[in-house]
Amino acid sequence: MNISQYISRFIQAGVTIVFIVTIYLIVTFSVAQKNVVSIYEDRLIPIIQLTKISDYYNNNIIFCFRAFNQHEITNKEASKIIADAITQSNQYWSDYLKTYLTPEENSIAITTNKNKLLLDSKLEEIEKLILSNQTAQQNIILNNLIAEIKSNITTTYSKQLQSLLEIQKKEAKNLEIQTQQLYSKIILFAVLVCLLCLAVILLLYRRI
């Protein structure tokens, strides 16, 4: 076999290797890119949404109840805080439910949604009572509702939101590990390709 044939075979082998490497890198980087996008869209954004919802209930509404009971805010101000918290948290919750939910996450989200609907309906009832000319009986009902809502928010609802937040962190960590493994495979593949190219060059060089 003459030199031109060796060179021709070398070129063919090189083209084949480059083709295989290119396809592999395209597929691998595509998966890695999807993982990175998923970490942002399906995990980071939900963390922000769930944190905002938690803040509206644990901070705004709890603060509203305390301030209202201590006569630090007017009835209209209390009503507005409650109405705004319900509206804003509903928007964040609706946006959250549109993101990708794992089966475990979806199960918790369904239970959380039921509790949220219950909370919101009672908050709306509280809002109406606050704006009304309260009788002694209505005042008792209002205080009981506030106590019930505070208990639900600080225990059950907070734990439900925290469970959803923990899932975001866990899934984000899993995606991070998968992406790191992909990059490790790319490095390993690149090393193997370099060694293969070196072996082909040495083999052709010996036969010339």
Side-chain angles (χ1 to χ4, degrees):
M1 188 179 294
N2 56 39
I3 294 177
S4 62
Q5 288 176 320
Y6 276 120
I7 293 174
S8 176
R9 288 192 177 184
F10 178 75
I11 292 173
Q12 289 175 1
V15 170
T16 301
I17 291 172
V18 169
F19 177 76
I20 293 172
V21 170
T22 301
I23 296 298
Y24 178 81
L25 290 178
I26 289 173
V27 172
T28 306
F29 275 113
S30 175
V31 174
Q33 183 183 26
K34 286 180 181 178
N35 284 350
V36 172
V37 170
S38 183
I39 288 174
Y40 176 73
E41 292 183 351
D42 298 323
R43 299 304 155 205
L44 178 58
I45 289 179
I47 285 175
I48 295 171
Q49 292 163 338
L50 292 169
T51 301
K52 288 285 188 181
I53 294 168
S54 179
D55 287 344
Y56 276 115
Y57 284 90
N58 284 292
N59 295 337
N60 296 38
I61 290 177
I62 296 297
F63 160 79
C64 174
F65 288 161
R66 188 184 72 249
F68 177 74
N69 286 333
Q70 295 176 358
H71 307 290
E72 295 174 357
I73 57 176
T74 65
N75 291 29
K76 285 185 178 180
E77 287 173 333
S79 174
K80 187 177 185 307
I81 291 172
I82 293 171
D84 287 347
I86 293 173
T87 301
Q88 295 298 324
S89 65
N90 280 343
Q91 184 59 58
Y92 280 114
W93 182 249
S94 175
D95 292 340
Y96 163 71
L97 292 178
K98 293 175 185 175
T99 63
Y100 170 73
L101 305 179
T102 65
E104 177 191 7
E105 185 179 6
N106 186 60
S107 176
I108 297 174
I110 290 172
T111 305
T112 306
N113 188 59
K114 290 178 181 177
N115 193 26
K116 187 181 189 312
L117 291 173
L118 177 64
L119 279 172
D120 289 350
S121 67
K122 294 195 174 186
L123 282 170
E124 288 170 355
E125 189 177 345
I126 287 173
E127 187 185 354
K128 291 176 182 176
L129 285 170
I130 285 174
L131 290 176
S132 67
N133 295 320
Q134 300 164 30
T135 63
Q137 183 63 30
Q138 286 178 323
N139 193 49
I140 293 173
I141 293 172
L142 176 60
N143 289 332
N144 288 338
L145 277 172
I146 288 176
E148 181 184 347
I149 293 297
K150 284 174 68 176
S151 176
N152 191 326
I153 290 174
T154 56
T155 55
T156 306
Y157 194 55
S158 291
K159 287 180 180 179
Q160 289 170 333
L161 291 177
Q162 187 58 40
S163 295
L164 292 172
L165 282 167
E166 290 301 323
I167 290 176
Q168 310 312 312
K169 296 174 185 177
K170 181 182 72 175
E171 291 299 320
K173 186 63 179 178
N174 289 339
L175 286 169
E176 180 189 355
I177 292 171
Q178 290 175 20
T179 305
Q180 289 175 343
Q181 290 174 341
L182 282 172
Y183 283 124
S184 297
K185 288 179 180 179
I186 290 173
I187 294 172
L188 178 60
F189 185 74
V191 171
L192 291 175
V193 168
C194 290
L195 292 174
L196 178 60
C197 289
L198 182 61
V200 171
I201 291 171
L202 289 174
L203 180 63
L204 291 175
Y205 178 76
R206 287 182 178 181
R207 293 196 176 184
I208 294 177

